[in-house]
Amino acid sequence: QVMSLLGMFAIVIIYIATLCNLILSVYSSTIPINQLVVVEPSSYVVVRLRGYDQEYSTLKANIKSLPSSGSIYQLSQVYNKYGYEPKAGTQISSVDTNITGSNNRFVYKRPIRDVLSNSAWDRIYFTIYNPISESHNGSITFVPPSGAIVGSNFMFSNEDWTITGNKAIQDSTFEPKNIGSQLSFYIYGTDNEIYLKNGIDSTLWYFEAPVKFLTNLGISYGGTLSFTLSAFSGNFNELNGNSLHVVELICDDCIGPVYQGITLAWPINAENFKSFTGSTQTFTFSLLETVGWVKDPQNSLLSWTKPSQCDMIQVLSRISKIRILGDWTTWYETVALDNVLIANTEGKQPTCSMSISDASICTC
């Protein structure tokens, strides 16, 4: 019996040691630093792949994916050693390529014939490694001078935006028309269901973003979400109360206050928010937790609270839904949406949210 107890004790000790090693490996392993790099059209930039390691000061880098529209190069020997032109050396044309430039530097080039867009130029993935271990994938997002990361301008279609909150999910309607300088080729939705409760329509409809927006947007932290709205019908003197959410950012997989999921929203009663009156209006929202966003407490008896920095970064990094309010009034309305853009020109995502690529471990 004593031997049996000793055996069980040994198993417990091994389990605790394994768990401790796992925790230590997560928090002390090599961490790649996600970066945002602004690149002019038809231009190039020298980029340094960065990482953090508690034990090793000398780290190496490895390319894990190739750009889709630009090209990447090792540093030329003359630039690497003496700082003379040309900067670009051998083109990197395959993955799992180690960076040979000093300080893990390489060159990213745009095509000579380049066209601006409302999305990022490229995103490439890399790892940082020390003599005994390799990090998870980090990313560098290359953006045009506008900082565009992902967007919809509806030049050719509705880009798979849908209308949710009505009787059923339906496609938004694409309208290839120009209305003034702010609305050019847009989508619109119409209220198909009204259920008034205490004078307020409780069945609100939203424009919901397509799958191209539902990627890791952690690098947009500190940037902006913007879009243009315009109404063709509706009485905007009778809004659906002061608790309307202009925008909702939803992470279905994040750990919530009570159950799984986090919803962040920008209410119309946020400080300094200029509400929609039906006229063509462009809205811009800062993607920082300190400027107006609130978090669902997942308890109807509690008020929505300010999110933490980790809440904002985790939701952006693991975004499941982006919703923009269309149902502003207590009765029927028709509302158009145009020029949706998530943009950033300065990477502000802190290292304390980069232990895992999707920020599911965040210690900020």
Side-chain angles (χ1 to χ4, degrees):
Q1 188 176 5
V2 173
M3 293 300 294
S4 177
L5 289 174
L6 288 174
M8 291 177 63
F9 181 72
I11 292 173
V12 170
I13 293 298
I14 293 172
Y15 174 79
I16 293 174
T18 303
L19 184 61
C20 289
N21 287 334
L22 178 62
I23 293 173
L24 287 173
S25 69
V26 169
Y27 285 98
S28 64
S29 61
T30 304
I31 298 174
I33 305 301
N34 299 329
Q35 296 179 64
L36 184 78
V37 179
V38 178
V39 187
E40 295 284 342
S42 306
S43 184
Y44 68 89
V45 62
V46 176
V47 181
R48 179 184 177 186
L49 297 175
R50 302 175 183 273
Y52 170 78
D53 194 296
Q54 290 182 340
E55 299 181 20
Y56 294 90
S57 57
T58 302
L59 301 171
K60 297 293 185 180
N62 183 275
I63 296 294
K64 293 300 182 183
S65 71
L66 299 176
S68 59
S69 63
S71 52
I72 55 177
Y73 301 81
Q74 302 281 13
L75 293 187
S76 68
Q77 185 175 3
V78 67
Y79 181 78
N80 189 42
K81 194 169 184 179
Y82 302 108
Y84 299 146
E85 297 287 346
K87 295 182 175 67
T90 304
Q91 184 171 355
I92 299 173
S93 56
S94 60
V95 298
D96 283 324
T97 297
N98 291 330
I99 295 298
T100 59
S102 60
N103 294 319
N104 295 321
R105 294 178 299 161
F106 70 99
V107 174
Y108 172 80
K109 276 188 177 183
R110 295 298 305 154
I112 294 176
R113 295 181 178 179
D114 215 351
V115 179
L116 286 171
S117 74
N118 62 345
S119 295
W121 294 128
D122 272 311
R123 176 177 288 179
I124 65 172
Y125 295 93
F126 68 97
T127 57
I128 297 293
Y129 63 94
N130 59 40
I132 62 171
S133 65
E134 186 175 22
S135 72
H136 60 271
N137 282 357
S139 66
I140 293 190
T141 304
F142 298 95
V143 297
S146 66
I149 296 174
V150 61
S152 287
N153 57 15
F154 310 112
M155 286 299 295
F156 305 105
S157 70
N158 69 359
E159 299 189 25
D160 295 324
W161 280 76
T162 57
I163 305 298
T164 61
N166 275 327
K167 291 181 179 179
I169 297 175
Q170 56 192 143
D171 293 335
S172 61
T173 302
F174 170 58
E175 190 66 70
K177 292 181 180 179
N178 295 327
I179 301 179
S181 60
Q182 291 180 288
L183 209 63
S184 173
F185 288 44
Y186 53 87
I187 61 172
Y188 68 87
T190 301
D191 209 335
N192 283 346
E193 182 180 21
I194 293 177
Y195 179 69
L196 292 179
K197 185 177 181 180
N198 298 323
I200 294 175
D201 184 1
S202 60
T203 55
L204 302 179
W205 65 270
Y206 292 84
F207 297 99
E208 188 162 316
V211 67
K212 72 174 181 177
F213 281 79
L214 310 183
T215 183
N216 189 329
L217 297 174
I219 200 65
S220 70
Y221 176 75
T224 58
L225 164 64
S226 61
F227 53 83
T228 299
L229 292 179
S230 186
F232 303 140
S233 66
N235 182 2
F236 283 81
N237 292 320
E238 296 183 6
L239 299 183
N240 275 312
N242 291 323
S243 60
L244 287 175
H245 296 159
V246 187
V247 182
E248 291 184 347
L249 306 177
I250 301 170
C251 171
D252 290 336
D253 298 327
C254 295
I255 299 175
V258 179
Y259 47 83
Q260 185 168 297
I262 292 178
T263 296
L264 304 182
W266 191 291
I268 66 169
N269 59 4
E271 187 176 358
N272 297 324
F273 176 73
K274 183 180 178 181
S275 187
F276 184 39
T277 61
S279 301
T280 303
Q281 185 174 340
T282 297
F283 298 86
T284 301
F285 304 91
S286 174
L287 296 175
L288 285 171
E289 70 283 353
T290 57
V291 291
W293 296 96
V294 291
K295 177 183 177 181
D296 183 0
Q298 298 176 337
N299 185 330
S300 60
L301 299 178
L302 299 177
S303 300
W304 288 50
T305 58
K306 288 185 177 181
S308 67
Q309 185 178 38
C310 283
D311 288 333
M312 177 60 75
I313 295 171
Q314 287 182 330
V315 169
L316 291 172
S317 300
R318 306 165 70 189
I319 194 81
S320 304
K321 296 181 183 71
I322 299 175
R323 293 173 175 165
I324 297 172
L325 182 66
D327 198 343
W328 289 76
T329 74
T330 59
W331 202 237
Y332 294 98
E333 69 275 291
T334 300
V335 176
L337 172 70
D338 199 4
N339 300 320
V340 185
L341 183 66
I342 293 177
N344 198 3
T345 57
E346 183 181 354
K348 295 181 180 179
Q349 185 181 357
T351 307
C352 50
S353 66
M354 297 185 191
S355 294
I356 293 181
S357 58
D358 64 0
S360 53
I361 292 180
C362 179
T363 58
C364 303

